[in-house]
Amino acid sequence: MWGALLRRGGRCAGGLRAVASGGPPWSQVVSEAEKIVGYPTSFMSLRCLLSDELSNIAMQVRKLVGTKHPLLDTARQRSLAEITELIHTAFLVHRGIVNIGELKSCDGPLKDMQFGNKMAVLSGDFLLANACTSLAQLQNTKVVELISSAIGDLVQGIYYENSKSSEENCLTDDIGISTWKEQVFLSHSALLAKSCQAAMELAKHSAEIQDMAFQYGKHMSMSHKLHLDLQPFVKESSSDTMAFSLNSAPAVLHQEFLGREAWIKQIREAQGKGNIMDYKKLQEAIKAGKGVTSAIDLCRCHGNRALAALERFPPSEARAALANIVYAVTRFP
Protein backbone atom coordinates (compact mmCIF):
# COMPACT_ATOMS: atom_id res chain seq x y z
CA MET A 1 0.00 0.00 0.00
CA TRP A 2 2.90 2.37 0.79
CA GLY A 3 4.29 2.40 -2.73
CA ALA A 4 0.89 2.75 -4.40
CA LEU A 5 -0.14 5.59 -2.10
CA LEU A 6 3.01 7.63 -2.61
CA ARG A 7 2.77 7.37 -6.39
CA ARG A 8 -0.69 8.98 -6.33
CA GLY A 9 -1.03 12.76 -6.44
CA GLY A 10 -3.35 14.87 -4.35
CA ARG A 11 -3.70 17.86 -2.08
CA CYS A 12 -3.27 18.00 1.67
CA ALA A 13 -3.39 21.21 3.64
CA GLY A 14 -0.52 22.00 5.99
CA GLY A 15 1.96 19.74 7.72
CA LEU A 16 1.47 16.81 10.04
CA ARG A 17 0.41 17.22 13.64
CA ALA A 18 1.83 15.33 16.58
CA VAL A 19 -0.20 12.37 17.79
CA ALA A 20 -2.78 13.07 20.44
CA SER A 21 -5.77 11.36 22.00
CA GLY A 22 -8.09 12.13 19.06
CA GLY A 23 -8.24 10.78 15.53
CA PRO A 24 -10.45 8.60 13.32
CA PRO A 25 -10.91 4.88 14.13
CA TRP A 26 -8.74 2.20 12.52
CA SER A 27 -11.40 0.77 10.19
CA GLN A 28 -12.19 4.22 8.79
CA VAL A 29 -8.60 5.18 7.98
CA VAL A 30 -7.92 1.82 6.32
CA SER A 31 -11.05 2.19 4.21
CA GLU A 32 -10.01 5.70 3.15
CA ALA A 33 -6.50 4.51 2.29
CA GLU A 34 -7.92 1.70 0.16
CA LYS A 35 -9.99 4.25 -1.79
CA ILE A 36 -6.83 6.20 -2.64
CA VAL A 37 -5.06 3.02 -3.76
CA GLY A 38 -8.09 1.98 -5.76
CA TYR A 39 -8.74 -1.50 -4.38
CA PRO A 40 -9.16 -3.31 -1.04
CA THR A 41 -5.89 -4.94 -0.03
CA SER A 42 -6.98 -7.79 2.21
CA PHE A 43 -6.45 -11.24 0.70
CA MET A 44 -6.18 -9.80 -2.82
CA SER A 45 -3.51 -12.37 -3.69
CA LEU A 46 -5.64 -15.29 -2.51
CA ARG A 47 -8.42 -14.18 -4.85
CA CYS A 48 -5.91 -13.69 -7.66
CA LEU A 49 -4.71 -17.28 -7.31
CA LEU A 50 -8.27 -18.52 -7.94
CA SER A 51 -9.33 -16.05 -10.63
CA ASP A 52 -9.19 -17.06 -14.30
CA GLU A 53 -9.83 -13.50 -15.43
CA LEU A 54 -6.95 -12.06 -13.45
CA SER A 55 -4.73 -14.94 -14.50
CA ASN A 56 -5.35 -14.05 -18.15
CA ILE A 57 -4.47 -10.43 -17.44
CA ALA A 58 -1.31 -11.55 -15.68
CA MET A 59 -0.32 -13.61 -18.72
CA GLN A 60 -0.63 -10.52 -20.92
CA VAL A 61 1.36 -8.39 -18.46
CA ARG A 62 4.17 -10.95 -18.51
CA LYS A 63 4.63 -10.16 -22.19
CA LEU A 64 5.71 -6.67 -21.14
CA VAL A 65 8.68 -8.03 -19.18
CA GLY A 66 11.82 -6.68 -20.79
CA THR A 67 10.06 -3.62 -22.18
CA LYS A 68 9.85 -0.12 -20.69
CA HIS A 69 6.08 0.15 -20.73
CA PRO A 70 4.89 2.17 -17.66
CA LEU A 71 2.17 -0.40 -16.94
CA LEU A 72 4.91 -2.80 -15.82
CA ASP A 73 6.13 -0.40 -13.13
CA THR A 74 2.58 0.02 -11.83
CA ALA A 75 2.11 -3.76 -11.69
CA ARG A 76 5.41 -4.17 -9.75
CA GLN A 77 4.27 -1.64 -7.07
CA ARG A 78 1.07 -3.57 -6.59
CA SER A 79 2.80 -6.98 -6.78
CA LEU A 80 5.14 -6.08 -3.91
CA ALA A 81 2.19 -5.17 -1.67
CA GLU A 82 0.56 -8.51 -2.39
CA ILE A 83 3.83 -10.38 -1.76
CA THR A 84 4.11 -8.70 1.64
CA GLU A 85 0.53 -9.64 2.46
CA LEU A 86 1.11 -13.25 1.39
CA ILE A 87 4.19 -13.54 3.62
CA HIS A 88 2.32 -12.03 6.56
CA THR A 89 -0.62 -14.40 6.04
CA ALA A 90 1.70 -17.41 5.69
CA PHE A 91 3.28 -16.71 9.07
CA LEU A 92 -0.13 -16.14 10.67
CA VAL A 93 -1.18 -19.58 9.42
CA HIS A 94 2.02 -21.13 10.76
CA ARG A 95 1.39 -19.51 14.15
CA GLY A 96 -1.85 -21.52 14.27
CA ILE A 97 0.08 -24.74 14.85
CA VAL A 98 -0.75 -26.11 18.32
CA ASN A 99 1.48 -27.96 20.75
CA ILE A 100 0.06 -31.49 20.81
CA GLY A 101 1.70 -32.18 24.18
CA GLU A 102 -0.30 -29.39 25.85
CA LEU A 103 -3.73 -30.45 24.53
CA LYS A 104 -6.57 -31.43 26.84
CA SER A 105 -9.46 -33.80 26.15
CA CYS A 106 -11.84 -30.84 25.77
CA ASP A 107 -9.77 -29.45 22.87
CA GLY A 108 -11.00 -32.19 20.52
CA PRO A 109 -9.87 -35.55 19.12
CA LEU A 110 -6.08 -35.87 18.87
CA LYS A 111 -6.32 -37.13 15.28
CA ASP A 112 -8.20 -34.01 14.17
CA MET A 113 -5.75 -31.70 15.93
CA GLN A 114 -2.82 -33.44 14.22
CA PHE A 115 -4.55 -33.08 10.86
CA GLY A 116 -5.11 -29.38 11.57
CA ASN A 117 -1.40 -28.96 12.26
CA LYS A 118 -0.51 -30.61 8.95
CA MET A 119 -2.91 -28.33 7.10
CA ALA A 120 -1.45 -25.26 8.82
CA VAL A 121 2.07 -26.25 7.79
CA LEU A 122 1.14 -27.05 4.20
CA SER A 123 -1.08 -23.98 3.75
CA GLY A 124 1.53 -21.63 5.18
CA ASP A 125 4.27 -23.17 3.04
CA PHE A 126 2.08 -22.87 -0.06
CA LEU A 127 1.50 -19.15 0.53
CA LEU A 128 5.17 -18.55 1.30
CA ALA A 129 6.26 -20.40 -1.84
CA ASN A 130 3.93 -18.27 -3.98
CA ALA A 131 5.28 -15.13 -2.37
CA CYS A 132 8.89 -16.13 -3.04
CA THR A 133 8.10 -16.96 -6.66
CA SER A 134 6.45 -13.58 -7.19
CA LEU A 135 9.34 -11.87 -5.42
CA ALA A 136 11.84 -13.34 -7.90
CA GLN A 137 9.68 -12.13 -10.79
CA LEU A 138 10.15 -8.51 -9.68
CA GLN A 139 13.71 -8.87 -11.05
CA ASN A 140 15.25 -6.50 -8.52
CA THR A 141 18.16 -7.90 -6.50
CA LYS A 142 17.95 -5.34 -3.69
CA VAL A 143 14.21 -5.89 -3.23
CA VAL A 144 14.74 -9.66 -3.10
CA GLU A 145 17.47 -9.14 -0.49
CA LEU A 146 15.28 -6.84 1.62
CA ILE A 147 12.22 -9.09 1.68
CA SER A 148 14.32 -12.23 2.18
CA SER A 149 15.99 -10.66 5.20
CA ALA A 150 12.55 -9.70 6.54
CA ILE A 151 11.48 -13.36 6.32
CA GLY A 152 14.61 -14.27 8.27
CA ASP A 153 13.74 -11.64 10.88
CA LEU A 154 10.24 -13.09 11.22
CA VAL A 155 11.57 -16.59 11.82
CA GLN A 156 14.02 -15.32 14.42
CA GLY A 157 11.35 -13.24 16.15
CA ILE A 158 8.90 -16.14 16.34
CA TYR A 159 11.69 -18.34 17.72
CA TYR A 160 12.24 -15.84 20.53
CA GLU A 161 8.50 -15.73 21.22
CA ASN A 162 8.26 -19.51 21.53
CA SER A 163 11.51 -20.16 23.40
CA LYS A 164 11.02 -21.31 26.97
CA SER A 165 12.58 -19.60 29.94
CA SER A 166 15.29 -21.55 31.72
CA GLU A 167 13.36 -21.12 34.97
CA GLU A 168 10.97 -24.01 35.50
CA ASN A 169 7.26 -23.18 35.40
CA CYS A 170 8.06 -19.53 34.58
CA LEU A 171 5.05 -17.75 33.09
CA THR A 172 6.78 -14.58 31.92
CA ASP A 173 10.13 -13.60 30.42
CA ASP A 174 12.72 -11.72 32.43
CA ILE A 175 13.24 -8.95 29.87
CA GLY A 176 13.27 -5.16 29.80
CA ILE A 177 11.46 -2.90 27.37
CA SER A 178 14.56 -2.53 25.15
CA THR A 179 14.72 -6.30 24.63
CA TRP A 180 10.95 -6.36 24.11
CA LYS A 181 11.29 -3.76 21.34
CA GLU A 182 14.07 -5.75 19.65
CA GLN A 183 11.92 -8.88 19.62
CA VAL A 184 8.82 -7.01 18.39
CA PHE A 185 10.81 -5.44 15.57
CA LEU A 186 11.84 -8.90 14.37
CA SER A 187 8.43 -10.55 14.68
CA HIS A 188 6.14 -7.63 13.74
CA SER A 189 7.91 -4.57 12.32
CA ALA A 190 10.70 -5.83 10.05
CA LEU A 191 8.40 -7.05 7.25
CA LEU A 192 6.47 -3.78 6.95
CA ALA A 193 9.55 -1.57 7.37
CA LYS A 194 11.56 -3.41 4.72
CA SER A 195 8.56 -3.64 2.39
CA CYS A 196 8.16 0.15 2.58
CA GLN A 197 11.84 0.52 1.76
CA ALA A 198 11.55 -1.98 -1.10
CA ALA A 199 8.60 -0.04 -2.55
CA MET A 200 10.78 3.07 -2.73
CA GLU A 201 13.56 1.04 -4.36
CA LEU A 202 11.15 -0.19 -7.04
CA ALA A 203 10.05 3.39 -7.63
CA LYS A 204 13.74 4.33 -8.03
CA HIS A 205 13.83 6.79 -5.15
CA SER A 206 17.06 7.82 -3.41
CA ALA A 207 18.62 6.01 -0.44
CA GLU A 208 17.47 8.84 1.84
CA ILE A 209 13.84 8.45 0.77
CA GLN A 210 14.11 4.69 1.15
CA ASP A 211 15.33 5.15 4.72
CA MET A 212 12.41 7.48 5.52
CA ALA A 213 10.01 4.83 4.22
CA PHE A 214 11.74 2.21 6.38
CA GLN A 215 11.46 4.47 9.46
CA TYR A 216 7.75 5.07 8.85
CA GLY A 217 7.02 1.34 8.50
CA LYS A 218 9.09 0.47 11.58
CA HIS A 219 7.63 3.04 13.95
CA MET A 220 4.06 2.77 12.71
CA SER A 221 4.07 -1.01 13.25
CA MET A 222 5.67 -0.59 16.70
CA SER A 223 2.83 1.81 17.60
CA HIS A 224 0.32 -0.70 16.28
CA LYS A 225 1.74 -3.52 18.43
CA LEU A 226 1.73 -1.30 21.52
CA HIS A 227 -1.86 -0.30 20.73
CA LEU A 228 -2.90 -3.97 20.59
CA ASP A 229 -1.07 -4.80 23.83
CA LEU A 230 -2.85 -1.93 25.60
CA GLN A 231 -6.40 -2.90 24.64
CA PRO A 232 -7.10 -5.15 27.68
CA PHE A 233 -6.12 -2.24 29.95
CA VAL A 234 -7.82 0.74 28.26
CA LYS A 235 -11.14 -0.59 26.91
CA GLU A 236 -14.00 1.09 28.73
CA SER A 237 -17.09 -0.75 27.48
CA SER A 238 -15.88 -4.33 27.97
CA SER A 239 -17.70 -6.03 30.85
CA ASP A 240 -15.52 -9.14 30.74
CA THR A 241 -11.83 -9.02 31.57
CA MET A 242 -9.72 -9.77 28.52
CA ALA A 243 -6.90 -12.30 28.85
CA PHE A 244 -3.55 -10.78 27.98
CA SER A 245 0.03 -11.88 27.48
CA LEU A 246 2.26 -11.60 30.53
CA ASN A 247 4.96 -10.51 28.08
CA SER A 248 2.90 -7.64 26.63
CA ALA A 249 4.30 -4.10 26.78
CA PRO A 250 2.31 -2.90 29.84
CA ALA A 251 3.35 -6.04 31.76
CA VAL A 252 7.02 -5.70 30.76
CA LEU A 253 7.07 -2.03 31.77
CA HIS A 254 5.24 -2.87 35.00
CA GLN A 255 7.92 -5.44 35.77
CA GLU A 256 10.67 -2.87 35.11
CA PHE A 257 9.17 -0.44 37.61
CA LEU A 258 8.18 -3.07 40.18
CA GLY A 259 11.13 -5.45 40.04
CA ARG A 260 11.25 -9.06 38.92
CA GLU A 261 10.63 -10.70 42.31
CA ALA A 262 7.64 -8.53 43.17
CA TRP A 263 6.16 -9.13 39.69
CA ILE A 264 6.46 -12.91 40.03
CA LYS A 265 4.82 -12.64 43.47
CA GLN A 266 1.86 -10.77 41.95
CA ILE A 267 1.50 -13.45 39.28
CA ARG A 268 1.51 -16.24 41.88
CA GLU A 269 -1.07 -14.40 43.98
CA ALA A 270 -3.32 -14.11 40.93
CA GLN A 271 -3.19 -17.86 40.30
CA GLY A 272 -6.08 -19.78 41.78
CA LYS A 273 -6.67 -23.48 42.17
CA GLY A 274 -5.43 -25.53 39.25
CA ASN A 275 -3.12 -22.68 38.25
CA ILE A 276 -6.07 -20.81 36.68
CA MET A 277 -5.06 -17.17 36.26
CA ASP A 278 -7.25 -14.44 37.70
CA TYR A 279 -6.60 -11.89 34.95
CA LYS A 280 -8.90 -9.35 36.58
CA LYS A 281 -6.75 -9.26 39.70
CA LEU A 282 -3.53 -9.10 37.72
CA GLN A 283 -4.94 -6.43 35.41
CA GLU A 284 -5.83 -4.21 38.37
CA ALA A 285 -2.32 -4.63 39.78
CA ILE A 286 -0.76 -3.53 36.48
CA LYS A 287 -3.17 -0.60 36.08
CA ALA A 288 -2.31 0.57 39.60
CA GLY A 289 1.35 0.88 38.58
CA LYS A 290 3.07 2.84 35.82
CA GLY A 291 3.08 0.15 33.11
CA VAL A 292 -0.06 1.26 31.26
CA THR A 293 0.68 4.99 31.16
CA SER A 294 4.28 4.29 30.13
CA ALA A 295 3.11 2.01 27.31
CA ILE A 296 0.73 4.73 26.06
CA ASP A 297 3.58 7.25 26.11
CA LEU A 298 5.81 4.81 24.21
CA CYS A 299 3.07 4.18 21.64
CA ARG A 300 2.74 7.90 20.97
CA CYS A 301 6.52 8.31 20.88
CA HIS A 302 6.80 5.78 18.05
CA GLY A 303 3.81 7.43 16.37
CA ASN A 304 5.55 10.81 16.40
CA ARG A 305 8.70 9.26 14.91
CA ALA A 306 6.58 7.75 12.11
CA LEU A 307 5.04 11.17 11.44
CA ALA A 308 8.51 12.76 11.42
CA ALA A 309 9.52 10.35 8.65
CA LEU A 310 6.40 11.29 6.66
CA GLU A 311 7.32 14.98 6.88
CA ARG A 312 10.10 14.32 4.37
CA PHE A 313 7.48 13.59 1.68
CA PRO A 314 5.46 16.32 -0.11
CA PRO A 315 1.86 16.93 1.02
CA SER A 316 -0.65 14.68 -0.74
CA GLU A 317 -3.71 12.53 -0.16
CA ALA A 318 -1.36 9.60 0.20
CA ARG A 319 0.68 11.22 2.97
CA ALA A 320 -2.50 12.26 4.77
CA ALA A 321 -3.82 8.68 4.62
CA LEU A 322 -0.59 7.28 6.04
CA ALA A 323 -0.63 9.89 8.80
CA ASN A 324 -4.24 9.01 9.67
CA ILE A 325 -3.16 5.39 10.14
CA VAL A 326 -0.68 6.60 12.77
CA TYR A 327 -3.35 8.72 14.48
CA ALA A 328 -5.66 5.69 14.61
CA VAL A 329 -3.16 3.44 16.40
CA THR A 330 -2.18 6.13 18.90
CA ARG A 331 -5.78 6.93 19.86
CA PHE A 332 -6.93 5.90 23.34
CA PRO A 333 -10.13 6.55 25.32
Side-chain angles (χ1 to χ4, degrees):
M1 183 175 72
W2 169 265
L5 283 173
L6 286 181
R7 287 175 62 88
R8 297 293 296 266
R11 293 175 292 178
C12 176
L16 301 174
R17 65 184 187 277
V19 296
S21 58
W26 174 258
S27 58
Q28 180 182 333
V29 297
V30 171
S31 177
E32 290 173 354
E34 287 176 344
K35 290 177 182 177
I36 296 175
V37 176
Y39 65 93
T41 57
S42 299
F43 298 105
M44 176 61 68
S45 291
L46 297 182
R47 290 200 294 269
C48 285
L49 291 173
L50 304 174
S51 170
D52 290 337
E53 292 81 3
L54 288 174
S55 295
N56 289 332
I57 295 173
M59 289 179 64
Q60 299 303 318
V61 171
R62 287 194 190 101
K63 296 178 180 178
L64 296 174
V65 175
T67 72
K68 295 183 179 180
H69 195 284
L71 175 61
L72 191 59
D73 282 338
T74 302
R76 296 169 73 217
Q77 288 292 330
R78 182 159 178 169
S79 179
L80 176 61
E82 294 178 357
I83 288 168
T84 301
E85 197 163 355
L86 273 180
I87 294 171
H88 177 66
T89 304
F91 277 89
L92 286 179
V93 172
H94 278 159
R95 284 171 186 256
I97 298 173
V98 299
N99 187 340
I100 298 296
E102 296 179 354
L103 292 178
K104 300 176 183 178
S105 57
C106 60
D107 292 324
L110 179 62
K111 184 177 180 181
D112 291 343
M113 300 301 288
Q114 289 174 332
F115 177 76
N117 274 358
K118 291 178 182 178
M119 290 301 298
V121 171
L122 291 173
S123 300
D125 288 350
F126 172 76
L127 294 176
L128 196 57
N130 274 277
C132 291
T133 300
S134 299
L135 182 62
Q137 291 172 350
L138 292 178
Q139 299 181 1
N140 186 300
T141 304
K142 185 175 180 180
V143 170
V144 171
E145 180 182 352
L146 282 169
I147 303 302
S148 297
S149 67
I151 293 174
D153 291 336
L154 271 169
V155 173
Q156 188 177 354
I158 293 172
Y159 172 78
Y160 285 148
E161 284 183 356
N162 295 329
S163 60
K164 298 294 183 181
S165 174
S166 58
E167 184 179 343
E168 188 177 0
N169 297 324
C170 187
L171 297 172
T172 179
D173 293 337
D174 184 10
I175 60 173
I177 194 63
S178 59
T179 302
W180 179 90
K181 288 196 287 187
E182 290 173 3
Q183 294 181 4
V184 167
F185 173 77
L186 292 172
S187 59
H188 291 83
S189 301
L191 179 60
L192 180 60
K194 293 182 178 181
S195 294
C196 289
Q197 181 181 352
M200 297 297 96
E201 162 64 23
L202 281 178
K204 298 179 174 61
H205 285 294
S206 66
E208 180 185 5
I209 294 298
Q210 290 181 34
D211 182 62
M212 290 301 101
F214 176 93
Q215 295 301 324
Y216 172 82
K218 172 185 175 180
H219 293 294
M220 193 284 291
S221 58
M222 292 292 289
S223 289
H224 185 250
K225 180 62 169 67
L226 284 157
H227 182 88
L228 293 176
D229 281 6
L230 278 160
Q231 291 311 296
F233 303 94
V234 299
K235 278 198 171 182
E236 294 179 338
S237 59
S238 178
S239 57
D240 299 326
T241 302
M242 297 172 60
F244 55 90
S245 170
L246 300 183
N247 296 317
S248 63
V252 170
L253 286 163
H254 178 71
Q255 176 182 266
E256 278 200 341
F257 288 113
L258 193 65
R260 176 69 176 175
E261 291 185 7
W263 170 228
I264 293 297
K265 183 180 179 181
Q266 285 186 343
I267 293 175
R268 298 305 180 193
E269 290 174 350
Q271 282 182 309
K273 294 181 180 180
N275 288 332
I276 298 176
M277 187 67 68
D278 184 351
Y279 281 98
K280 179 67 175 178
K281 184 175 182 179
L282 199 57
Q283 183 188 65
E284 292 302 323
I286 295 174
K287 290 172 72 173
K290 299 179 181 179
V292 174
T293 55
S294 296
I296 291 175
D297 290 342
L298 186 61
C299 179
R300 289 175 176 162
C301 175
H302 281 289
N304 283 326
R305 295 181 71 176
L307 292 177
L310 279 182
E311 287 281 7
R312 305 298 297 270
F313 296 92
S316 66
E317 283 184 338
R319 194 181 81 166
L322 293 169
N324 281 336
I325 290 174
V326 176
Y327 300 140
V329 299
T330 52
R331 177 177 179 266
F332 298 97

